[in-house]
Amino acid sequence: MASTADIKNGVVLSIDGQLWNVIEFQHVKPGKGGAFVRTKLKNVVSGKTVDRTYNAGAKIEIENVDRRDFTYLYNDGEGYVFMDVADYDQLTVPAATVGEAANFLLENQQVQIALNNGNPLYVELPASVVLEITYTEPGLQGDRSSAGTKPATVETGYEIQVPLFLETGTRVKVDTRTGDYLGRVN
């Protein structure tokens, strides 16, 4: 058992049999009363976010989470297969665990996977990835007060909004957290 003094960003807590990742924390020492710790927690499995407050010195249970580098190999229909960079072991991660990250996964891409007792918890992608546009309508310039956008399908099958001047075959940088277009890549 640990205490609230051990809470830091990225620590995984076990609360009521579920794993929660600490997104933010703040130690508060008011003028009156005892100190407390205000936290923002994200459920590792469902992604739900909650705010929770602990009295200073309260006992909490910290889970051991191992974040390791993996290379994405392929999708075998049942899940996504990754190879551990250190020992070349292969790990199949269910599609439900990969979640939205599947929209940005390319073969041989480097990712981090958080493991708890050998079970994959979530897949962490780089902040942005470079993808090629496989299909988009030709952009029509017209009377517009602001820059227009159009839908474009990238090589993973995911659809993003891009500026009108982009064409099929253009390589673009995409934010993996929001799915937003960040810019062209030469």
Side-chain angles (χ1 to χ4, degrees), residues 37-120:
V37 179
R38 192 178 289 139
T39 62
K40 184 180 243 180
L41 306 172
K42 181 178 181 182
N43 190 307
V44 170
V45 178
S46 69
K48 179 181 172 186
T49 305
V50 298
D51 293 327
R52 210 153 162 177
T53 303
Y54 296 96
N55 289 330
K59 298 295 179 201
I60 54 172
E61 194 174 334
I62 294 181
E63 282 291 323
N64 183 22
V65 173
D66 185 22
R67 288 181 177 83
R68 298 207 314 245
D69 292 328
F70 283 82
T71 301
Y72 172 62
L73 298 178
Y74 58 90
N75 181 350
D76 67 0
E78 294 178 20
Y80 294 82
V81 180
F82 296 87
M83 178 183 68
D84 192 330
V85 174
D87 58 12
Y88 305 111
D89 282 347
Q90 289 189 5
L91 173 71
T92 301
V93 180
T97 304
V98 175
E100 293 290 314
N103 295 329
F104 308 104
L105 272 179
L106 290 173
E107 290 182 4
N108 298 320
Q109 185 175 4
Q110 299 295 317
V111 299
Q112 271 197 336
I113 299 179
L115 301 167
N116 176 260
N117 301 328
N119 297 324

Side-chain angles (χ1 to χ4, degrees), residues 105-170:
L105 272 179
L106 290 173
E107 290 182 4
N108 298 320
Q109 185 175 4
Q110 299 295 317
V111 299
Q112 271 197 336
I113 299 179
L115 301 167
N116 176 260
N117 301 328
N119 297 324
L121 300 176
Y122 56 89
V123 175
E124 209 171 280
L125 294 172
S128 65
V129 292
V130 176
L131 300 171
E132 186 174 319
I133 296 175
T134 55
Y135 177 77
T136 186
E137 296 286 334
L140 299 173
Q141 293 291 42
D143 298 328
R144 223 177 327 306
S145 62
S146 66
T149 61
K150 62 182 178 179
T153 306
V154 292
E155 57 191 305
T156 60
Y158 187 65
E159 193 172 276
I160 62 171
Q161 292 292 320
V162 298
L164 290 171
F165 60 84
L166 292 180
E167 299 171 356
T168 300
T170 306

Side-chain angles (χ1 to χ4, degrees), residues 1-35:
M1 292 295 259
S3 75
T4 55
D6 299 317
I7 292 178
K8 293 181 179 31
N9 289 345
V11 168
V12 177
L13 306 176
S14 177
I15 303 169
D16 301 329
Q18 292 187 327
L19 297 177
W20 296 84
N21 194 358
V22 177
I23 299 170
E24 295 175 11
F25 74 99
Q26 180 182 22
H27 290 278
V28 179
K29 177 77 173 94
K32 279 188 191 172

